[in-house]
Structure formats: structure tokens, C-alpha cells
Amino acid sequence: MAVRALRGAIQVDENTRDAILEGTTELIKAVMHRNAITPDDLISVIFTATPDLDAEFPAYAARLLGFTDVPLLCTTEIGVPGAMPRVLRIMAHAEVDRPRADLHHVYLRGAAALRRDLPQ
């Protein structure tokens, strides 16, 4: 097994608790599904939110999905002028038995524009 990092992002419609939880849940499920991993494979997960998203901790969505013994951390993205607004990001560290090239990073909704180089 190797330790690999999986990335993803999603743009949410508004700075509300529901929008943050819904978007984070959608992102987590997509990353897990596309990479065929389970919470047992996870070592840790870092969530970031752009400065305009502060109505809820994105990690709370992971707790609601049952990630009760996975270390989670939330932080704020740097506020770069002109950057895409309302973006939640994830970096999940997991133990997997596949090479890095076989993993799939997931960019959803408006955040797909952040990584046009990746197949969606």
C-alpha cells in the first residue's frame, strides 16, 4: 500500500450551512466513488473554503457521513483577488494499492473550470 493524496473542489451557490454541507457531501462522495475508496482507507482529510464561505465547517459533512475516526481539518484558502468565489476544496490522504496515475481528482460544478486539464 502507498499513501496517496486525492484532490477535489466544488463551487457552491451561497454561503449557507445547507449549501456548504450539501456541496461538501457531494464532493466527498464523488472523490470516494471515483477512486473506489472507503473511510477505512483514509489517513486524514483537509478541507479548505474560500474566505466567503463561513456558515459551516466543511468537515462536519464528513462527520455526518460517518467519518468519525478520520482526522479532519478545516482551513481558509488565501483570498487571492479575482479568484473563483464560494469554492470548497478537499485533499484526502489515503492508503491505496494503485499508482498515482490511476487516481482521479474531482472538480464539480463551477470548480471544473479550475482544472480543465483533468478529465471530468
Side-chain angles (χ1 to χ4, degrees), residues 12-76:
V12 298
D13 293 333
E14 58 188 356
N15 181 32
T16 64
R17 182 176 192 270
D18 288 344
I20 290 170
L21 293 177
E22 176 203 333
T24 306
T25 298
E26 181 180 343
L27 180 59
I28 292 168
K29 287 181 175 182
V31 169
M32 303 291 282
H33 175 75
R34 290 212 46 210
N35 291 285
I37 59 174
T38 69
D40 288 338
D41 300 319
L42 295 174
I43 296 167
S44 63
V45 182
I46 300 170
F47 297 92
T48 68
T50 49
D52 53 0
L53 293 177
D54 62 2
E56 182 58 89
F57 294 104
Y60 184 59
R63 294 285 182 235
L64 293 174
L65 288 171
F67 292 30
T68 56
D69 61 352
V70 177
L72 307 174
L73 177 69
C74 294
T75 188
T76 305

Short mmCIF file of all heavy atoms in Angstrom, two decimals, residues 12-76:
data_model
loop_
_atom_site.label_atom_id
_atom_site.label_comp_id
_atom_site.label_asym_id
_atom_site.label_seq_id
_atom_site.Cartn_x
_atom_site.Cartn_y
_atom_site.Cartn_z
N VAL A 12 -20.07 26.20 -4.57
CA VAL A 12 -21.44 26.18 -4.03
C VAL A 12 -22.13 27.50 -4.37
O VAL A 12 -21.48 28.49 -4.68
CB VAL A 12 -21.47 25.89 -2.51
CG1 VAL A 12 -20.90 24.51 -2.22
CG2 VAL A 12 -20.73 26.95 -1.72
N ASP A 13 -23.46 27.47 -4.32
CA ASP A 13 -24.24 28.62 -4.76
C ASP A 13 -24.28 29.78 -3.77
O ASP A 13 -24.43 30.94 -4.19
CB ASP A 13 -25.68 28.19 -5.07
CG ASP A 13 -25.75 27.28 -6.27
OD1 ASP A 13 -24.88 27.36 -7.15
OD2 ASP A 13 -26.70 26.46 -6.33
N GLU A 14 -24.17 29.46 -2.47
CA GLU A 14 -24.32 30.53 -1.49
C GLU A 14 -23.64 30.15 -0.18
O GLU A 14 -23.33 28.98 0.06
CB GLU A 14 -25.79 30.83 -1.24
CG GLU A 14 -26.59 29.63 -0.77
CD GLU A 14 -28.08 29.89 -0.71
OE1 GLU A 14 -28.51 31.03 -0.96
OE2 GLU A 14 -28.82 28.95 -0.40
N ASN A 15 -23.41 31.14 0.65
CA ASN A 15 -22.79 30.95 1.95
C ASN A 15 -23.87 30.64 2.99
O ASN A 15 -24.22 31.49 3.81
CB ASN A 15 -21.99 32.18 2.35
CG ASN A 15 -21.31 31.99 3.70
OD1 ASN A 15 -20.93 30.89 4.06
ND2 ASN A 15 -21.16 33.07 4.44
N THR A 16 -24.40 29.41 2.91
CA THR A 16 -25.35 28.96 3.92
C THR A 16 -24.89 27.61 4.43
O THR A 16 -24.14 26.89 3.75
CB THR A 16 -26.78 28.81 3.35
OG1 THR A 16 -26.77 27.78 2.34
CG2 THR A 16 -27.29 30.12 2.77
N ARG A 17 -25.34 27.28 5.62
CA ARG A 17 -24.99 26.00 6.21
C ARG A 17 -25.39 24.85 5.29
O ARG A 17 -24.61 23.95 5.02
CB ARG A 17 -25.68 25.86 7.58
CG ARG A 17 -25.36 24.58 8.30
CD ARG A 17 -26.01 24.58 9.70
NE ARG A 17 -25.47 23.51 10.49
CZ ARG A 17 -25.99 22.29 10.54
NH1 ARG A 17 -27.05 21.99 9.83
NH2 ARG A 17 -25.43 21.36 11.30
N ASP A 18 -26.61 24.90 4.78
CA ASP A 18 -27.11 23.83 3.91
C ASP A 18 -26.29 23.71 2.63
O ASP A 18 -25.97 22.60 2.20
CB ASP A 18 -28.58 24.04 3.57
CG ASP A 18 -29.51 23.77 4.75
OD1 ASP A 18 -29.08 23.14 5.73
OD2 ASP A 18 -30.67 24.21 4.68
N ALA A 19 -25.96 24.84 2.00
CA ALA A 19 -25.19 24.79 0.76
C ALA A 19 -23.79 24.22 0.99
O ALA A 19 -23.29 23.44 0.18
CB ALA A 19 -25.09 26.19 0.14
N ILE A 20 -23.17 24.58 2.10
CA ILE A 20 -21.83 24.07 2.41
C ILE A 20 -21.88 22.57 2.71
O ILE A 20 -21.06 21.80 2.19
CB ILE A 20 -21.20 24.87 3.57
CG1 ILE A 20 -20.87 26.29 3.07
CG2 ILE A 20 -19.95 24.17 4.11
CD1 ILE A 20 -20.48 27.26 4.16
N LEU A 21 -22.84 22.15 3.51
CA LEU A 21 -22.95 20.72 3.82
C LEU A 21 -23.30 19.90 2.59
O LEU A 21 -22.72 18.83 2.35
CB LEU A 21 -23.96 20.49 4.94
CG LEU A 21 -23.58 21.04 6.31
CD1 LEU A 21 -24.71 20.82 7.31
CD2 LEU A 21 -22.28 20.44 6.81
N GLU A 22 -24.23 20.40 1.78
CA GLU A 22 -24.62 19.67 0.57
C GLU A 22 -23.46 19.57 -0.41
O GLU A 22 -23.17 18.51 -0.97
CB GLU A 22 -25.80 20.36 -0.12
CG GLU A 22 -26.19 19.71 -1.43
CD GLU A 22 -26.94 20.65 -2.36
OE1 GLU A 22 -27.61 21.58 -1.89
OE2 GLU A 22 -26.83 20.42 -3.59
N GLY A 23 -22.77 20.69 -0.65
CA GLY A 23 -21.65 20.68 -1.58
C GLY A 23 -20.50 19.81 -1.11
O GLY A 23 -19.92 19.05 -1.89
N THR A 24 -20.19 19.89 0.17
CA THR A 24 -19.11 19.06 0.72
C THR A 24 -19.48 17.59 0.63
O THR A 24 -18.63 16.76 0.26
CB THR A 24 -18.81 19.46 2.18
OG1 THR A 24 -18.53 20.86 2.24
CG2 THR A 24 -17.61 18.69 2.71
N THR A 25 -20.70 17.25 0.94
CA THR A 25 -21.15 15.86 0.85
C THR A 25 -21.04 15.35 -0.59
O THR A 25 -20.53 14.24 -0.83
CB THR A 25 -22.60 15.73 1.35
OG1 THR A 25 -22.63 16.10 2.73
CG2 THR A 25 -23.12 14.31 1.20
N GLU A 26 -21.50 16.15 -1.54
CA GLU A 26 -21.41 15.76 -2.95
C GLU A 26 -19.95 15.53 -3.36
O GLU A 26 -19.62 14.55 -4.04
CB GLU A 26 -22.04 16.84 -3.83
CG GLU A 26 -22.01 16.53 -5.31
CD GLU A 26 -22.64 17.63 -6.16
OE1 GLU A 26 -23.38 18.49 -5.62
OE2 GLU A 26 -22.38 17.63 -7.38
N LEU A 27 -19.07 16.42 -2.93
CA LEU A 27 -17.65 16.31 -3.27
C LEU A 27 -17.01 15.08 -2.65
O LEU A 27 -16.32 14.32 -3.33
CB LEU A 27 -16.91 17.59 -2.83
CG LEU A 27 -15.43 17.64 -3.11
CD1 LEU A 27 -15.13 17.49 -4.59
CD2 LEU A 27 -14.83 18.93 -2.56
N ILE A 28 -17.25 14.86 -1.37
CA ILE A 28 -16.69 13.69 -0.69
C ILE A 28 -17.15 12.40 -1.37
O ILE A 28 -16.34 11.52 -1.67
CB ILE A 28 -17.09 13.66 0.80
CG1 ILE A 28 -16.42 14.80 1.56
CG2 ILE A 28 -16.74 12.31 1.43
CD1 ILE A 28 -16.99 15.00 2.96
N LYS A 29 -18.44 12.29 -1.61
CA LYS A 29 -18.98 11.08 -2.23
C LYS A 29 -18.38 10.86 -3.62
O LYS A 29 -18.06 9.72 -3.99
CB LYS A 29 -20.50 11.14 -2.31
CG LYS A 29 -21.17 10.95 -0.97
CD LYS A 29 -22.68 11.00 -1.10
CE LYS A 29 -23.38 10.69 0.20
NZ LYS A 29 -24.85 10.70 0.06
N ALA A 30 -18.20 11.92 -4.38
CA ALA A 30 -17.63 11.78 -5.73
C ALA A 30 -16.17 11.33 -5.68
O ALA A 30 -15.76 10.45 -6.44
CB ALA A 30 -17.77 13.10 -6.49
N VAL A 31 -15.38 11.92 -4.78
CA VAL A 31 -13.97 11.52 -4.65
C VAL A 31 -13.87 10.06 -4.22
O VAL A 31 -13.08 9.29 -4.78
CB VAL A 31 -13.23 12.45 -3.66
CG1 VAL A 31 -11.86 11.90 -3.31
CG2 VAL A 31 -13.10 13.85 -4.25
N MET A 32 -14.68 9.68 -3.25
CA MET A 32 -14.65 8.30 -2.76
C MET A 32 -15.09 7.32 -3.85
O MET A 32 -14.45 6.28 -4.06
CB MET A 32 -15.55 8.16 -1.52
CG MET A 32 -15.21 9.09 -0.37
SD MET A 32 -13.67 8.74 0.44
CE MET A 32 -14.17 7.36 1.44
N HIS A 33 -16.17 7.64 -4.54
CA HIS A 33 -16.70 6.75 -5.58
C HIS A 33 -15.73 6.61 -6.75
O HIS A 33 -15.44 5.50 -7.19
CB HIS A 33 -18.06 7.26 -6.06
CG HIS A 33 -18.61 6.48 -7.20
ND1 HIS A 33 -19.16 5.22 -7.03
CD2 HIS A 33 -18.69 6.75 -8.52
CE1 HIS A 33 -19.55 4.76 -8.21
NE2 HIS A 33 -19.27 5.68 -9.13
N ARG A 34 -15.26 7.74 -7.26
CA ARG A 34 -14.37 7.70 -8.44
C ARG A 34 -13.07 6.99 -8.17
O ARG A 34 -12.41 6.52 -9.09
CB ARG A 34 -14.09 9.11 -8.95
CG ARG A 34 -15.33 9.72 -9.57
CD ARG A 34 -15.12 10.67 -10.69
NE ARG A 34 -14.19 10.27 -11.72
CZ ARG A 34 -13.47 11.12 -12.42
NH1 ARG A 34 -13.57 12.41 -12.20
NH2 ARG A 34 -12.66 10.71 -13.37
N ASN A 35 -12.67 6.90 -6.90
CA ASN A 35 -11.41 6.25 -6.55
C ASN A 35 -11.60 4.94 -5.82
O ASN A 35 -10.63 4.33 -5.39
CB ASN A 35 -10.55 7.21 -5.74
CG ASN A 35 -10.08 8.35 -6.59
OD1 ASN A 35 -9.19 8.19 -7.41
ND2 ASN A 35 -10.70 9.52 -6.46
N ALA A 36 -12.84 4.50 -5.70
CA ALA A 36 -13.17 3.21 -5.06
C ALA A 36 -12.48 3.07 -3.70
O ALA A 36 -11.83 2.06 -3.42
CB ALA A 36 -12.81 2.05 -5.98
N ILE A 37 -12.63 4.10 -2.87
CA ILE A 37 -12.06 4.04 -1.53
C ILE A 37 -13.18 4.18 -0.50
O ILE A 37 -14.27 4.65 -0.81
CB ILE A 37 -10.97 5.11 -1.29
CG1 ILE A 37 -11.52 6.51 -1.48
CG2 ILE A 37 -9.76 4.86 -2.18
CD1 ILE A 37 -10.53 7.60 -1.11
N THR A 38 -12.88 3.76 0.71
CA THR A 38 -13.82 3.82 1.82
C THR A 38 -13.19 4.66 2.94
O THR A 38 -11.98 4.92 2.91
CB THR A 38 -14.13 2.42 2.37
OG1 THR A 38 -12.95 1.91 3.01
CG2 THR A 38 -14.59 1.47 1.26
N PRO A 39 -13.97 5.05 3.93
CA PRO A 39 -13.38 5.78 5.05
C PRO A 39 -12.23 5.02 5.72
O PRO A 39 -11.30 5.65 6.23
CB PRO A 39 -14.56 5.99 6.00
CG PRO A 39 -15.74 6.05 5.09
CD PRO A 39 -15.44 5.02 4.01
N ASP A 40 -12.26 3.70 5.69
CA ASP A 40 -11.17 2.92 6.29
C ASP A 40 -9.85 3.12 5.57
O ASP A 40 -8.78 2.88 6.15
CB ASP A 40 -11.51 1.43 6.31
CG ASP A 40 -12.57 1.08 7.33
OD1 ASP A 40 -12.75 1.85 8.30
OD2 ASP A 40 -13.22 0.04 7.17
N ASP A 41 -9.89 3.54 4.31
CA ASP A 41 -8.67 3.79 3.53
C ASP A 41 -8.05 5.14 3.85
O ASP A 41 -6.89 5.40 3.50
CB ASP A 41 -8.96 3.73 2.03
CG ASP A 41 -9.51 2.40 1.58
OD1 ASP A 41 -9.01 1.36 2.05
OD2 ASP A 41 -10.44 2.39 0.74
N LEU A 42 -8.81 6.03 4.47
CA LEU A 42 -8.36 7.40 4.69
C LEU A 42 -7.43 7.52 5.89
O LEU A 42 -7.65 6.92 6.93
CB LEU A 42 -9.57 8.32 4.90
CG LEU A 42 -10.48 8.48 3.69
CD1 LEU A 42 -11.71 9.29 4.06
CD2 LEU A 42 -9.73 9.13 2.54
N ILE A 43 -6.42 8.33 5.70
CA ILE A 43 -5.48 8.67 6.78
C ILE A 43 -5.90 9.99 7.41
O ILE A 43 -5.98 10.12 8.63
CB ILE A 43 -4.05 8.76 6.24
CG1 ILE A 43 -3.60 7.38 5.73
CG2 ILE A 43 -3.10 9.31 7.30
CD1 ILE A 43 -2.34 7.42 4.90
N SER A 44 -6.19 10.99 6.57
CA SER A 44 -6.65 12.29 7.03
C SER A 44 -7.25 13.05 5.86
O SER A 44 -7.01 12.70 4.70
CB SER A 44 -5.50 13.10 7.63
OG SER A 44 -4.52 13.37 6.64
N VAL A 45 -8.03 14.08 6.19
CA VAL A 45 -8.65 14.90 5.15
C VAL A 45 -8.53 16.37 5.56
O VAL A 45 -8.85 16.73 6.69
CB VAL A 45 -10.13 14.55 4.93
CG1 VAL A 45 -10.73 15.40 3.83
CG2 VAL A 45 -10.32 13.07 4.64
N ILE A 46 -8.07 17.18 4.61
CA ILE A 46 -8.00 18.63 4.81
C ILE A 46 -9.05 19.26 3.91
O ILE A 46 -9.12 18.96 2.72
CB ILE A 46 -6.61 19.17 4.46
CG1 ILE A 46 -5.55 18.53 5.34
CG2 ILE A 46 -6.58 20.71 4.57
CD1 ILE A 46 -4.13 18.82 4.91
N PHE A 47 -9.87 20.13 4.49
CA PHE A 47 -10.87 20.88 3.76
C PHE A 47 -10.47 22.34 3.77
O PHE A 47 -10.03 22.85 4.80
CB PHE A 47 -12.25 20.78 4.44
CG PHE A 47 -12.81 19.39 4.47
CD1 PHE A 47 -12.57 18.57 5.56
CD2 PHE A 47 -13.58 18.92 3.42
CE1 PHE A 47 -13.09 17.29 5.60
CE2 PHE A 47 -14.11 17.64 3.46
CZ PHE A 47 -13.87 16.82 4.54
N THR A 48 -10.63 23.01 2.63
CA THR A 48 -10.45 24.46 2.62
C THR A 48 -11.72 25.09 2.04
O THR A 48 -12.45 24.46 1.28
CB THR A 48 -9.23 24.92 1.79
OG1 THR A 48 -9.46 24.66 0.41
CG2 THR A 48 -7.96 24.23 2.25
N ALA A 49 -11.93 26.33 2.41
CA ALA A 49 -13.05 27.10 1.89
C ALA A 49 -12.53 28.49 1.56
O ALA A 49 -11.66 29.03 2.26
CB ALA A 49 -14.16 27.20 2.93
N THR A 50 -13.05 29.05 0.48
CA THR A 50 -12.69 30.43 0.17
C THR A 50 -13.21 31.33 1.30
O THR A 50 -14.14 30.95 2.03
CB THR A 50 -13.26 30.85 -1.20
OG1 THR A 50 -14.65 30.51 -1.27
CG2 THR A 50 -12.52 30.16 -2.34
N PRO A 51 -12.61 32.51 1.49
CA PRO A 51 -12.98 33.36 2.62
C PRO A 51 -14.46 33.75 2.69
O PRO A 51 -14.95 34.11 3.75
CB PRO A 51 -12.10 34.60 2.44
CG PRO A 51 -10.93 34.13 1.64
CD PRO A 51 -11.49 33.07 0.73
N ASP A 52 -15.17 33.63 1.57
CA ASP A 52 -16.58 33.99 1.55
C ASP A 52 -17.51 32.87 2.02
O ASP A 52 -18.72 33.03 2.03
CB ASP A 52 -17.00 34.48 0.16
CG ASP A 52 -16.65 33.50 -0.95
OD1 ASP A 52 -16.08 32.43 -0.68
OD2 ASP A 52 -16.93 33.82 -2.12
N LEU A 53 -16.94 31.74 2.43
CA LEU A 53 -17.74 30.61 2.95
C LEU A 53 -17.40 30.39 4.41
O LEU A 53 -16.35 29.83 4.75
CB LEU A 53 -17.46 29.33 2.13
CG LEU A 53 -17.93 29.34 0.69
CD1 LEU A 53 -17.51 28.05 0.00
CD2 LEU A 53 -19.43 29.55 0.59
N ASP A 54 -18.29 30.83 5.29
CA ASP A 54 -18.03 30.69 6.72
C ASP A 54 -19.27 30.31 7.53
O ASP A 54 -19.29 30.42 8.75
CB ASP A 54 -17.42 31.97 7.28
CG ASP A 54 -18.34 33.19 7.14
OD1 ASP A 54 -19.49 33.05 6.65
OD2 ASP A 54 -17.90 34.28 7.51
N ALA A 55 -20.29 29.81 6.85
CA ALA A 55 -21.54 29.48 7.55
C ALA A 55 -21.51 28.11 8.22
O ALA A 55 -22.38 27.82 9.05
CB ALA A 55 -22.72 29.55 6.58
N GLU A 56 -20.54 27.26 7.88
CA GLU A 56 -20.42 25.93 8.50
C GLU A 56 -19.03 25.37 8.20
O GLU A 56 -18.38 25.77 7.23
CB GLU A 56 -21.48 24.98 7.95
CG GLU A 56 -21.48 23.58 8.56
CD GLU A 56 -21.65 23.56 10.08
OE1 GLU A 56 -22.80 23.51 10.54
OE2 GLU A 56 -20.62 23.60 10.79
N PHE A 57 -18.58 24.47 9.05
CA PHE A 57 -17.33 23.76 8.82
C PHE A 57 -17.56 22.65 7.80
O PHE A 57 -18.42 21.79 8.02
CB PHE A 57 -16.81 23.13 10.11
CG PHE A 57 -16.40 24.12 11.16
CD1 PHE A 57 -17.21 24.36 12.25
CD2 PHE A 57 -15.20 24.80 11.05
CE1 PHE A 57 -16.84 25.26 13.23
CE2 PHE A 57 -14.81 25.71 12.03
CZ PHE A 57 -15.62 25.94 13.12
N PRO A 58 -16.82 22.62 6.69
CA PRO A 58 -16.99 21.54 5.73
C PRO A 58 -16.76 20.15 6.34
O PRO A 58 -17.42 19.18 5.96
CB PRO A 58 -15.96 21.84 4.64
CG PRO A 58 -15.71 23.30 4.75
CD PRO A 58 -15.88 23.63 6.21
N ALA A 59 -15.87 20.05 7.30
CA ALA A 59 -15.59 18.76 7.92
C ALA A 59 -16.81 18.17 8.60
O ALA A 59 -16.92 16.94 8.74
CB ALA A 59 -14.44 18.88 8.93
N TYR A 60 -17.75 19.00 9.00
CA TYR A 60 -18.95 18.50 9.64
C TYR A 60 -19.72 17.57 8.69
O TYR A 60 -20.32 16.59 9.13
CB TYR A 60 -19.82 19.65 10.13
CG TYR A 60 -21.04 19.20 10.89
CD1 TYR A 60 -20.92 18.43 12.05
CD2 TYR A 60 -22.31 19.51 10.45
CE1 TYR A 60 -22.04 17.99 12.74
CE2 TYR A 60 -23.44 19.09 11.13
CZ TYR A 60 -23.30 18.32 12.27
OH TYR A 60 -24.41 17.88 12.95
N ALA A 61 -19.70 17.87 7.41
CA ALA A 61 -20.36 16.99 6.43
C ALA A 61 -19.73 15.61 6.44
O ALA A 61 -20.43 14.60 6.33
CB ALA A 61 -20.29 17.60 5.03
N ALA A 62 -18.42 15.55 6.57
CA ALA A 62 -17.73 14.25 6.64
C ALA A 62 -18.14 13.49 7.90
O ALA A 62 -18.35 12.28 7.87
CB ALA A 62 -16.22 14.44 6.59
N ARG A 63 -18.26 14.19 9.00
CA ARG A 63 -18.70 13.54 10.24
C ARG A 63 -20.11 12.97 10.06
O ARG A 63 -20.39 11.86 10.50
CB ARG A 63 -18.69 14.53 11.41
CG ARG A 63 -17.31 15.00 11.79
CD ARG A 63 -16.53 13.96 12.55
NE ARG A 63 -15.23 14.49 12.94
CZ ARG A 63 -14.08 13.92 12.64
NH1 ARG A 63 -14.06 12.79 11.96
NH2 ARG A 63 -12.95 14.45 13.03
N LEU A 64 -20.98 13.71 9.38
CA LEU A 64 -22.34 13.23 9.13
C LEU A 64 -22.34 12.00 8.23
O LEU A 64 -23.26 11.18 8.30
CB LEU A 64 -23.19 14.34 8.51
CG LEU A 64 -23.49 15.54 9.40
CD1 LEU A 64 -24.23 16.62 8.61
CD2 LEU A 64 -24.28 15.13 10.63
N LEU A 65 -21.31 11.85 7.39
CA LEU A 65 -21.19 10.67 6.53
C LEU A 65 -20.55 9.48 7.24
O LEU A 65 -20.38 8.43 6.64
CB LEU A 65 -20.36 11.02 5.28
CG LEU A 65 -21.04 11.91 4.25
CD1 LEU A 65 -20.04 12.35 3.19
CD2 LEU A 65 -22.23 11.20 3.63
N GLY A 66 -20.19 9.67 8.50
CA GLY A 66 -19.63 8.56 9.27
C GLY A 66 -18.12 8.56 9.41
O GLY A 66 -17.55 7.59 9.89
N PHE A 67 -17.46 9.62 9.03
CA PHE A 67 -16.00 9.71 9.17
C PHE A 67 -15.67 10.08 10.62
O PHE A 67 -15.14 11.13 10.91
CB PHE A 67 -15.44 10.77 8.24
CG PHE A 67 -15.53 10.47 6.77
CD1 PHE A 67 -16.54 9.70 6.23
CD2 PHE A 67 -14.58 10.98 5.91
CE1 PHE A 67 -16.61 9.46 4.87
CE2 PHE A 67 -14.65 10.73 4.54
CZ PHE A 67 -15.66 9.97 4.03
N THR A 68 -15.99 9.20 11.54
CA THR A 68 -15.87 9.52 12.96
C THR A 68 -14.46 9.33 13.51
O THR A 68 -14.12 9.95 14.52
CB THR A 68 -16.85 8.68 13.78
OG1 THR A 68 -16.61 7.30 13.51
CG2 THR A 68 -18.29 9.03 13.42
N ASP A 69 -13.65 8.49 12.88
CA ASP A 69 -12.30 8.28 13.40
C ASP A 69 -11.21 8.71 12.41
O ASP A 69 -10.06 8.32 12.54
CB ASP A 69 -12.10 6.82 13.82
CG ASP A 69 -12.27 5.84 12.66
OD1 ASP A 69 -12.69 6.26 11.57
OD2 ASP A 69 -11.96 4.65 12.86
N VAL A 70 -11.58 9.52 11.41
CA VAL A 70 -10.62 10.07 10.45
C VAL A 70 -10.26 11.48 10.89
O VAL A 70 -11.16 12.30 11.10
CB VAL A 70 -11.23 10.11 9.02
CG1 VAL A 70 -10.25 10.74 8.04
CG2 VAL A 70 -11.65 8.72 8.56
N PRO A 71 -8.97 11.78 11.05
CA PRO A 71 -8.61 13.15 11.40
C PRO A 71 -9.00 14.12 10.27
O PRO A 71 -8.68 13.89 9.10
CB PRO A 71 -7.09 13.10 11.55
CG PRO A 71 -6.79 11.66 11.85
CD PRO A 71 -7.80 10.89 11.06
N LEU A 72 -9.73 15.17 10.64
CA LEU A 72 -10.22 16.16 9.68
C LEU A 72 -9.74 17.54 10.10
O LEU A 72 -9.65 17.84 11.29
CB LEU A 72 -11.75 16.15 9.63
CG LEU A 72 -12.44 14.81 9.39
CD1 LEU A 72 -13.95 14.96 9.52
CD2 LEU A 72 -12.07 14.26 8.02
N LEU A 73 -9.48 18.40 9.11
CA LEU A 73 -9.04 19.76 9.38
C LEU A 73 -9.69 20.70 8.39
O LEU A 73 -9.72 20.40 7.19
CB LEU A 73 -7.52 19.86 9.26
CG LEU A 73 -6.89 21.24 9.43
CD1 LEU A 73 -7.02 21.71 10.88
CD2 LEU A 73 -5.42 21.20 9.03
N CYS A 74 -10.19 21.83 8.88
CA CYS A 74 -10.72 22.89 8.02
C CYS A 74 -9.81 24.10 8.10
O CYS A 74 -9.31 24.43 9.18
CB CYS A 74 -12.11 23.31 8.46
SG CYS A 74 -13.37 22.06 8.27
N THR A 75 -9.65 24.77 6.97
CA THR A 75 -8.87 26.00 6.93
C THR A 75 -9.43 26.88 5.82
O THR A 75 -10.25 26.45 5.02
CB THR A 75 -7.36 25.71 6.74
OG1 THR A 75 -6.62 26.91 6.90
CG2 THR A 75 -7.08 25.07 5.41
N THR A 76 -8.97 28.11 5.78
CA THR A 76 -9.43 29.07 4.78
C THR A 76 -8.40 29.18 3.67
O THR A 76 -7.20 29.30 3.94
CB THR A 76 -9.65 30.45 5.41
OG1 THR A 76 -10.54 30.32 6.51
CG2 THR A 76 -10.23 31.43 4.40
#
